[in-house]
Structures are given as structure tokens and as C-alpha cells.
Amino acid sequence: MQAIQWRKDFETGIMSIDHEHKTLIASINEFCNQLETDNTEEEILKHLGGIHALVEAHFALEEHIMADTRYEGFSDHKQDHDRLLDEILDIMDKVHAKETLDYKSALGTIVTNWFATHFSTLDKTFHLQAHGGNKTST
């Protein structure tokens, strides 16, 4: 299962950031592939927790850069980060509560929709400002 397919509308226009985002998506997809074969509640929660931790670490780094650069859009950007993290936790809660849920599909839909909006809007604006409009930064 590949939860997320890279799409042109995910691009920020900054090669290093787009590379980082592609790597993040590849890692999320690897966790999702593990969900295909590991079906116990404990294994599912472990993989979903891995996705949450991976995304949270990426956000922490980005938020650190925002704070250091005194990015004016920090609050809105962080709220959007928190929203995705909360949605992943909601899926984990539903798995733990044994609610009927196609968690693979739910995760794929939530994350893909979130990335499509976040990468191409909030991340693009932030990283263009942080990188001085340099679209080829490394």
C-alpha cells in the first residue's frame, strides 16, 4: 500500500525542501507497507506511532527554524501541523478502541489531503521567506 503519491502540487519550488518532503513521504509509505503484513493491534499501533513520530520530528525541526527566523506565520503554521498530528492520533485511538475503520485508507486520505494543501501553501510561503526566495537552495 502506498498511502501517498508525490504530486506536482506538493512542490514548494525549493529543491532541498521538496527532497526532504519526498523523503518524508517515502518513509511514511514504508510504514504503510509494513501495515500490509503486520495486522495485530499492537503492530498496527506501532507503525502508526512510527508515522506520527516521523511527522512530529519533521514538524519540530521546521518549527525550530520558524522560531529562529521569527516567522510571522508561525502560529497558523503550527496549528496546521498540530491538526495533522491530532488526526493521526485519532486514527490510533480508533484502532485501539477496535472501532470499525479502514485505517489504511483513512490515513492515506488524511495525509494526502493535508500534504496537498500544506506543502503547496504554508510550507511554500515559509520556505521561500526563510530561503530568501532561493528556489535552488540545498
Side-chain angles (χ1 to χ4, degrees):
M1 167 187 143
Q2 187 169 12
I4 310 166
Q5 296 272 333
W6 182 263
R7 300 182 340 206
K8 182 91 172 138
D9 62 332
F10 289 179
E11 293 180 4
T12 64
I14 302 166
M15 288 176 16
S16 61
I17 302 305
D18 291 341
H19 175 76
E20 185 176 328
H21 287 162
K22 286 177 184 177
T23 302
L24 177 65
I25 286 173
S27 297
I28 291 169
N29 284 335
E30 181 57 34
F31 275 113
C32 288
N33 287 336
Q34 293 169 356
L35 285 171
E36 287 295 308
T37 57
D38 296 341
N39 293 313
T40 68
E41 178 185 330
E42 182 179 333
E43 292 166 330
I44 292 166
L45 290 172
K46 178 182 87 173
H47 297 311
L48 290 172
I51 292 169
H52 186 275
L54 184 71
V55 171
E56 187 173 43
H58 171 74
F59 290 169
L61 174 61
E62 196 171 81
E63 290 166 9
H64 179 75
I65 295 167
M66 284 186 233
D68 283 352
T69 61
R70 294 185 166 88
Y71 179 57
E72 290 179 11
F74 176 82
S75 180
D76 289 340
H77 204 122
K78 181 166 179 20
Q79 284 179 358
D80 203 46
H81 285 172
D82 292 345
R83 183 173 57 86
L84 177 60
L85 292 171
D86 287 345
E87 288 180 359
I88 295 170
L89 288 175
D90 287 346
I91 291 172
M92 292 173 71
D93 288 344
K94 288 177 182 174
V95 168
H96 184 69
K98 298 177 180 21
E99 289 184 27
T100 303
L101 170 72
D102 180 353
Y103 59 87
K104 297 171 197 172
S105 178
L107 179 67
T109 299
I110 288 167
V111 174
T112 298
N113 291 342
W114 186 91
F115 282 158
T117 302
H118 186 86
F119 282 174
S120 63
T121 58
L122 294 172
D123 269 3
K124 185 173 189 171
T125 301
F126 165 63
H127 289 294
L128 283 173
Q129 178 182 318
H131 291 86
N134 181 1
K135 292 188 175 197
T136 59
S137 68
T138 55

